[in-house]
Amino acid sequence: MEAFWISLAVIFVAELGDKSQLMAMTFATRFRPWPVLAGITVATAVVHLVSVGVGRLAGDLIPTTAITVVAGVAFLGFAAWTLRGDELTEEEARKAERTTRSALIAVTVAFLLAELGDKTMLATITLATQYGWFGTWLGSTVGMVAADALAIAVGRMLGRHLPEKVVRYGAAAAFAVFGVLLLVEPLLGRS
């Protein structure tokens, strides 16, 4: 359960202000929310399953202290990445707006491609080196889907008037805290 809750919280925060949320809002303006959410769920489950597999393999091959330090540095990097912000390119926005295929297929494919190499995928890999694969997979999937569901709901209610800077700074601060905690852990001898 620890892996589930930690992964859920970390990935939920990581997804705040991410381009995937922008994609979710864009698709929600074109399609009904349920097919959009279903497509996000399918894509996320697949990408995060691959991520935990990579993370478990790395976790089995690399010493725990090294993984903890690398994870701490990675989370500080995620904080910087989050501060930089994510935006949909014009091409990504046009694709999301003009797609006429089935909403489920369009959203699933778009999210599969968008999440490859994204910070939530990398964060899931990092978490899987520390925690059990199933709890990490389930928690990271639920966290991302919950954050994107929130984006869909807020996007439908408020349009594009979201306090992006506040969301970005809050998510970056949370990543920084996780990173510092991970870096301090080996110094305290709790690896």
Side-chain angles (χ1 to χ4, degrees), residues 64-66 68 130 185-191:
T64 305
T65 301
T68 302
Q130 303 279 316
E185 186 177 309
L187 298 174
L188 299 174
R190 294 184 189 160
S191 53

Side-chain angles (χ1 to χ4, degrees), residues 28 61 77 86 101-102 121 182:
L61 298 175
D86 252 349
R101 289 177 263 163
S102 161
M121 180 182 184
L182 284 169

